[in-house]
Amino acid sequence: MIQRIQTLYLLLAFVITGVLPFIFPLWSTADGKDFLFMQNQLYVILFGLSTTLTLLSIISFKKRQNQFVIGRLNIILNLILLGLFVYHSLNLSGETPAVSEKGIGMFLPILAIVLLGFANKAIKKDEDLVKSVDRLR
């Protein structure tokens, strides 16, 4: 399980969606307070679902097809999360009192999407290898 490269990609995606949102703020308000994802219930649900799907994908390493589908669902979920962040950042520009500075936390879904894409590519490569060996039998 751990020797496969897709597991390492999935572990990094887990850290990005499960650990780093607690550290990096999404944005800072005009009065200097950091806005973390925990202050919005929708962001908590989406980050939690993404983390859960990543763990489920790591656990289902014996079922490569299910792992691939879970990875695709996780990519879609992170795209929705990224869309919400973009919508929020375009809706409230930097000059308004509500948001004064965008944070690194808004870019976490992009990193997760890239890592999940790499993991899905490696899963597909493994699946193709198994299919080619099955043809030889």
Side-chain angles (χ1 to χ4, degrees):
M1 178 177 104
I2 195 69
Q3 71 271 16
R4 296 168 57 202
I5 189 70
Q6 60 262 32
T7 306
L8 296 177
Y9 288 142
L10 289 170
L11 283 173
L12 285 174
F14 170 76
V15 169
I16 287 174
T17 59
V19 177
L20 292 183
F22 288 102
I23 298 170
F24 296 116
L26 299 177
W27 54 80
S28 298
T29 57
D31 53 355
K33 294 181 182 175
D34 289 337
F35 185 88
L36 294 171
F37 82 103
M38 296 168 288
Q39 296 169 342
N40 189 337
Q41 189 68 27
L42 181 63
Y43 296 153
V44 170
I45 291 170
L46 290 175
F47 270 118
L49 220 76
S50 178
T51 305
T52 305
L53 283 176
T54 305
L55 276 177
L56 188 63
S57 183
I58 291 171
I59 291 171
S60 65
F61 64 94
K62 290 184 180 180
K63 301 174 185 171
R64 286 176 301 278
Q65 200 61 28
N66 289 345
Q67 195 178 24
F68 187 77
V69 170
I70 291 170
R72 287 280 170 111
L73 289 174
N74 204 351
I75 288 173
I76 292 170
L77 183 67
N78 278 300
L79 282 173
I80 291 170
L81 190 60
L82 182 64
L84 286 173
F85 289 159
V86 168
Y87 173 76
H88 185 79
S89 69
L90 291 178
N91 232 8
L92 299 171
S93 66
E95 286 77 31
T96 62
V99 174
S100 64
E101 185 176 318
K102 280 72 175 176
I104 294 174
M106 292 184 89
F107 299 108
L108 292 178
I110 295 172
L111 294 173
I113 289 169
V114 168
L115 288 170
L116 289 168
F118 286 157
N120 272 359
K121 186 176 177 182
I123 293 167
K124 180 81 170 123
K125 190 176 176 183
D126 276 358
E127 187 66 26
D128 291 343
L129 181 66
V130 169
K131 284 181 182 178
S132 71
V133 170
D134 282 343
R135 274 186 293 223
L136 293 175
R137 282 194 235 175

